[in-house]
Amino acid sequence: MSALRNGAVALGLLLVLLTFATMQPADPGGTSAAQPAQRHTSTPAKPTPAPAATTSGTAGAAPGEIRFTGAPQPNPAALRRFYAQQVEWTRCADDRDFDCARVAVPVDHERPSGATIAIALRRLPATSEHPRGTLFVNPGGPGGSGTDFVREPDLFGDDLRAAWDIVGFDPRGIGDSAGFDCLTDEELDAMYAADPTPASAQGMEFLEEAAAARAASCLQRGGALAAKMGSEAVAADLDILREAVGDERLNYYGVSYGTLIGAIYADRFTSRVGLMVLDSAVSPDGLDTASVTQRDVDANARHWGTEFDALFADFVEECGDRCPLGTDPGSAGAALVALLDSLEAVPLPTDFDSLPQVTEGWAVTAIGEGLLDPASWPYLVDALEAAIEGDGTELAWFAMVAVGRDVDGSYPGATFGKSHLPVTCADWPARTWAELTPSRAVLEEHPLFGRIQPPLPSECAGWTGTMRSNLLVGAEPATPILVIGNEDDPVTPIEDTEYLAEMLVGSRLVTVDAARHGAYAMGNACVDEVVEDYLARGLAPRDGLGCPAD
């Protein structure tokens, strides 16, 4: 889910809504939660030397120094001309502190003689004279720009800056890598404004037709590239990039949806895995559960409804006497439901020419996203207070920030909203979970949950592009992958991070007592030191390590 830390409120809501809407285990999760980053102000003290045990061969659970053994698999012969490239860095025209380059990849890796595109790279050069190599980074989304992500150099500790050339890349079809507008500004506005809880079958049919039309128009605009934007293709591109920078193995930090790219790479290019950190993971399991029943769907909905109610109760408790909805979670929830129901009939006026009214859909976007980000709660309180008084301006502003919309009505190209659809639809085939919706009784038990995260039609209905070929991703690399996550992550549940660690045999799982999305560089000194020991010094932590709260 989202460039993770681009200074705006997360773009993760839409994908989270879709996850809850289909009531399937949260496998597509992971948009970015765009939080302001906690900056590194000093280098952690050098740790006590680890035990002499090596982690080469099958990775064990003990801490120790990572040593690479064995020869990596050869490069694919059919792609020889792409693997023969050597990256040519030049100073970036827009920022002389960085180097820029482009590397050609095939649009279709199965047809390497066909069309090609250029993948855009941006390098933050190492501060030492003799770096270990290149550390590729990906911010998630899908749709986040890696070339923008790497421009936040303070996200990376001093030891990482010294050890690595840090390189961000825009995945195929995103940003400067032949990026295109999968959805237009007008389509996005219509999607966010639409009634998310239609009372009639005709209203639900309208949502289904609109979703299918968006998928079709995206494929038409993007052509062959739009049909080939899945994470398997991105992982194959990444291996070409690895060779182009001259590294024998891939060293990688991926967060949120970027963890799926890393996991797929590890599955496909296992012998090429170097030092890899997967932060706040998306479960890679895309297998269907054909035996799912209505009881299963209802049980899952009750679970998420209970979780959502607890989150809303925390919000009410935090705002206290300032809460315009009241101080009791039950009555506050009922008041918010009443506000949303009123917006379905009479939208609120705003001061924005490009968004003159706040509909129920826009309000759901703002409130749902705001609740996921405790740092934004004071602003959400102000927006709700103004809305109750009849002014939708602050709620409209909140919603626009949440989805990356400018006040002039435009959306940047490399964002989740504009770019995620062809990746999401390629990575996650339709599942039986999506065919069933929670029973009315369950939604009535959790009425606010039913308004903020309602059942919605699949956005990938009628998808005709490429589908992921391996729906059960796993690997057993010779060296341990570091998998980290927060115990109360509101976007990608810790269960997904734990599951990914199980699927990557020999990995080291480190959890943090925190309730945010993204573990590294978010202010927890313990996990920051673990990541920097791993990447800068090649020291693997003990498996199952838990980091206390900040």
Side-chain angles (χ1 to χ4, degrees), residues 8 41 107 121 123 129 144 191 198 205 223 255 343 361 375 378 384 454 477-478 512:
T41 57
V107 169
L121 309 178
R123 178 176 71 172
E129 293 184 4
M191 180 179 71
E205 184 178 351
V255 62
L343 293 178
L384 289 173
V512 184

Side-chain angles (χ1 to χ4, degrees), residues 38 40 44 519-533:
Q38 298 289 330
H40 293 267
Y520 175 63
M522 296 296 284
N524 186 281
C526 168
V527 73
D528 286 355
E529 185 169 353
V530 167
V531 170
E532 290 168 19
D533 281 350

Side-chain angles (χ1 to χ4, degrees), residues 53-206:
T54 178
T55 65
S56 61
T58 300
E65 181 180 356
I66 299 171
R67 299 170 187 166
F68 296 98
T69 59
Q73 66 196 72
N75 296 326
L79 299 171
R80 184 179 295 107
R81 71 185 179 102
F82 295 100
Y83 279 89
Q85 298 173 92
Q86 292 185 342
V87 68
E88 296 181 3
W89 297 106
T90 60
R91 289 293 183 187
C92 298
D94 60 354
D95 192 333
R96 304 290 291 177
D97 290 335
F98 295 85
D99 301 323
C100 286
R102 291 181 176 275
V103 173
V105 300
V107 169
D108 185 347
H109 284 262
E110 299 299 319
R111 295 176 173 81
S113 62
T116 66
I117 58 171
I119 301 298
L121 309 178
R122 184 181 293 265
R123 178 176 71 172
L124 178 64
T127 57
S128 67
E129 293 184 4
H130 302 289
R132 297 175 65 115
T134 295
L135 177 68
F136 287 94
V137 297
N138 181 275
S145 167
T147 60
D148 285 345
F149 187 51
V150 79
R151 297 182 74 174
E152 297 288 340
D154 291 342
L155 293 175
F156 308 102
D158 292 344
D159 288 358
L160 262 63
R161 290 288 318 280
W164 299 100
D165 290 329
I166 301 175
V167 173
F169 65 100
D170 287 351
R172 54 173 48 216
I174 305 297
D176 289 332
S177 295
F180 66 96
D181 288 344
C182 171
L183 301 180
T184 66
D185 295 341
E186 293 74 19
E187 286 172 329
L188 287 169
D189 272 358
M191 180 179 71
Y192 292 127
D195 179 5
T197 56
S200 67
Q202 184 179 10
M204 184 59 73
E205 184 178 351
F206 171 80

Side-chain angles (χ1 to χ4, degrees), residues 320-477:
D321 293 339
R322 289 193 60 233
C323 191
L325 303 167
T327 58
D328 173 69
S331 59
L336 190 51
V337 167
L339 173 64
L340 293 173
D341 286 348
S342 71
L343 293 178
E344 185 171 0
V346 183
L348 286 174
T350 82
D351 293 339
F352 297 111
D353 291 338
S354 72
L355 189 61
Q357 291 184 325
V358 171
T359 63
E360 181 188 8
W362 276 114
V364 163
T365 299
I367 296 166
E369 188 59 67
L371 289 175
L372 289 177
D373 178 19
S376 74
W377 286 356
Y379 307 103
L380 180 59
V381 169
D382 292 341
L384 289 173
E385 184 175 23
I388 289 171
E389 294 173 355
D391 183 1
T393 302
E394 291 193 47
L395 203 56
W397 174 85
F398 204 102
M400 287 191 288
V401 173
V403 300
R405 183 187 192 271
D406 201 303
V407 293
D408 66 3
S410 63
Y411 293 79
T415 62
F416 175 81
K418 276 228 171 165
S419 305
H420 82 283
L421 193 62
V423 184
T424 299
C425 295
D427 285 352
W428 306 104
R431 303 179 64 182
T432 307
W433 281 94
E435 299 173 3
L436 298 174
T437 59
S439 300
R440 180 177 297 274
V442 175
L443 295 177
E444 289 176 350
E445 291 173 18
H446 306 279
L448 185 58
F449 167 74
R451 297 302 198 287
I452 301 295
Q453 295 172 341
L456 294 172
S458 171
E459 62 176 351
C460 297
W463 176 254
T464 58
T466 299
M467 302 297 294
R468 177 150 60 109
S469 61
N470 184 0
L471 298 179
L472 188 61
V473 174
E476 188 173 355

